[in-house]
Amino acid sequence: MSDHDNEILNSITKTLIDSRKGYEACCDVADDGHPLSDEFRRRRDERAALIGEFQARVRTLGGEPEDDGSAAGAVHRAFLRFSSWFQDDEQAAISALDDGEEYLAEKIEDRLEDSSLLAESRALLHKALRSALSGERFADNLDD
């Protein structure tokens, strides 16, 4: 059972790492004077904390936690596009941010359908889902 949970948790960890890298790219592009720089930093730090919780859970279950994202992941690609678009096309950047958050939320929701997950792992996935959904709302509000 713990190997199964570890596989799921590590899969989400990789995507969370991609997401943190994306927000890091946002932080790099948005200087301190940009109105969203504080929010980007807060979300980056929130993702970093989630990554730590996922990694700790995998260790608790006797596994080896992921410590690198997935370069091929859709979230990562969307966020890489974000940094190049941010200064020239804010609307495209917001769209990339929204796409990344939506991808993360859908991936977590898919994993939550697994009824064999341990309760502690399920709770952690729900916490990450709330963060991703919050990120989607953030991007949607920017779009409005």
Side-chain angles (χ1 to χ4, degrees):
M1 184 68 76
S2 61
D3 286 343
H4 178 71
D5 277 36
N6 282 342
E7 182 180 317
I8 289 172
L9 294 172
N10 273 331
S11 171
I12 299 300
T13 300
K14 290 174 87 166
T15 308
L16 286 169
I17 290 170
D18 291 339
S19 178
R20 187 202 48 79
K21 287 178 181 179
Y23 278 113
E24 184 65 39
C26 295
C27 291
D28 290 345
V29 173
D31 62 21
D32 287 336
H34 192 279
L36 297 175
S37 61
D38 287 342
E39 185 62 20
F40 290 147
R41 279 193 294 275
R42 186 190 73 71
R43 291 181 180 280
R44 174 203 60 202
D45 295 347
E46 177 182 276
R47 294 298 158 84
L50 276 170
I51 292 163
E53 289 181 57
F54 272 70
Q55 291 169 329
R57 175 77 183 141
V58 168
R59 281 187 201 95
T60 298
L61 293 172
E64 183 67 33
E66 287 291 338
D67 61 0
D68 195 19
S70 168
V75 172
H76 186 64
R77 287 193 305 273
F79 277 124
L80 287 177
R81 288 192 309 266
F82 182 96
S83 63
S84 65
W85 288 336
F86 188 80
Q87 292 173 333
D88 298 326
D89 188 348
E90 192 165 318
Q91 189 60 39
I94 291 166
S95 178
L97 178 65
D98 188 42
D99 289 348
E101 295 290 10
E102 183 178 347
Y103 176 80
L104 176 59
E106 287 174 359
K107 185 172 182 178
I108 295 167
E109 287 171 337
D110 287 347
R111 299 321 187 269
L112 282 168
E113 291 178 9
D114 187 329
S115 62
S116 66
L117 280 169
L118 298 171
E120 296 88 355
S121 299
R122 182 173 297 284
L124 192 53
L125 286 169
H126 277 290
K127 184 175 184 179
L129 179 60
R130 285 190 300 275
S131 178
L133 293 174
S134 171
E136 271 192 276
R137 284 189 302 275
F138 170 66
D140 288 344
N141 287 337
L142 292 176
D143 199 26
D144 293 340

